[in-house]
């Protein structure tokens, strides 16, 4: 079991990063919440990991916080929810909002996350209803993101934000509409700011 990775951040994207550990580069799948907490490329990154071995692949999932990894491990125990979908859920909303939806039995909001259908949303609410008490008073993961400098090129930030949403599973029309709305409320926002506002607006 690989429990933690610490090394130089070579490349980072909203859904995946590459970390160099003494000459060995690891591709690690991440959630958008963790992406927002990463340092700049070239700096040291520390990720708590969950290693998945399948017949056709070996996958490494990384999280900036132990709490998010714990919730990930709870999610993949739900019938029909694999690692990829669990990561999509954690990218679509932060831990606090997800737990709130489950506690309120709000499957309608969960359905708005790419990849989560009606049956899956109902199953999440049913199976996790009494298993998330340890997360109820936890801090909002997305709220712990360090402030980033405003971009000098708003058009570039919008384009990057749209690409990020597409990589998270949203449709082109959804991404464009959400980012445009986010840009109106934060015209000087960075790519990360626009993505956060876009996700918030779609949930």
């Amino acid at each position: 079991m690989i429990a933690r990775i610490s090394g130089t951040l070579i490349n980072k994207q909203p859904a995946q990063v590459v970390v160099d550990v003494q000459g060995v580069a690891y591709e690690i799948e991440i959630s958008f919440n963790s992406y927002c907490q990463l340092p700049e490329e070239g700096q040291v990154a520390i990720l708590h990991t969950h290693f998945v071995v399948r017949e056709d692949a070996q996958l490494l999932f990384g999280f900036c916080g132990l709490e998010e990894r714990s919730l990930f491990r709870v999610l993949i125990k739900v019938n029909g929810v694999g690692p990829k979908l669990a990561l999509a859920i954690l990218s679509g909303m932060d831990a606090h909002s997800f737990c709130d939806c489950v506690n309120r039995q709000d499957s309608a909001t969960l359905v708005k996350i790419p990849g989560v259908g009606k049956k899956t949303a109902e199953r999440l609410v049913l199976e996790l209803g009494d298993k998330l008490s340890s997360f109820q008073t936890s801090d909002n993961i997305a709220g712990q993101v360090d402030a980033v400098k405003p971009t000098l090129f708003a058009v570039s930030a919008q384009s990057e934000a749209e690409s990020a949403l597409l990589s998270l599973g949203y449709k082109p029309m959804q991404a464009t509409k959400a980012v445009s709305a986010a840009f109106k409320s934060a015209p000087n926002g960075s790519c990360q700011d626009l993505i956060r506002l876009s996700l918030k607006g779609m949930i």
Side-chain angles (χ1 to χ4, degrees), residues 33-55:
N33 286 312
S34 286
Y35 167 76
C36 287
Q37 298 177 66
L38 289 169
E40 296 298 318
E41 292 180 0
Q43 297 184 11
V44 174
I46 298 175
L47 291 169
H48 303 283
T49 58
H50 181 87
F51 188 44
V52 174
V53 178
R54 301 189 322 211
E55 290 184 2

Side-chain angles (χ1 to χ4, degrees), residues 42-119:
Q43 297 184 11
V44 174
I46 298 175
L47 291 169
H48 303 283
T49 58
H50 181 87
F51 188 44
V52 174
V53 178
R54 301 189 322 211
E55 290 184 2
D56 59 342
Q58 295 184 19
L59 304 173
L60 197 58
F61 297 87
F63 311 90
C64 284
L66 287 170
E67 179 184 74
E68 190 179 22
R69 186 180 68 177
S70 296
L71 183 53
F72 172 84
R73 287 175 170 174
V74 170
L75 285 169
I76 60 177
K77 292 179 181 178
V78 175
N79 184 33
V81 178
K84 291 284 189 178
L85 181 54
L87 207 62
I89 292 171
L90 294 174
S91 293
M93 62 173 57
D94 59 82
H96 177 79
S97 298
F98 175 76
C99 293
D100 184 55
C101 282
V102 172
N103 292 332
R104 290 187 292 103
Q105 299 186 343
D106 182 9
S107 59
T109 296
L110 296 177
V111 170
K112 296 179 181 179
I113 301 173
V116 178
K118 182 178 179 181
K119 290 185 178 180

Side-chain angles (χ1 to χ4, degrees), residues 152-183:
L152 296 177
F153 304 98
V155 174
S156 177
Q158 285 181 275
S159 178
E160 290 180 18
E162 287 185 26
S163 295
L165 291 178
L166 292 176
S167 72
L168 294 176
Y170 290 94
K171 296 180 180 179
M173 186 175 294
Q174 284 181 302
T176 300
K177 183 178 179 180
V179 172
S180 295
F183 181 73

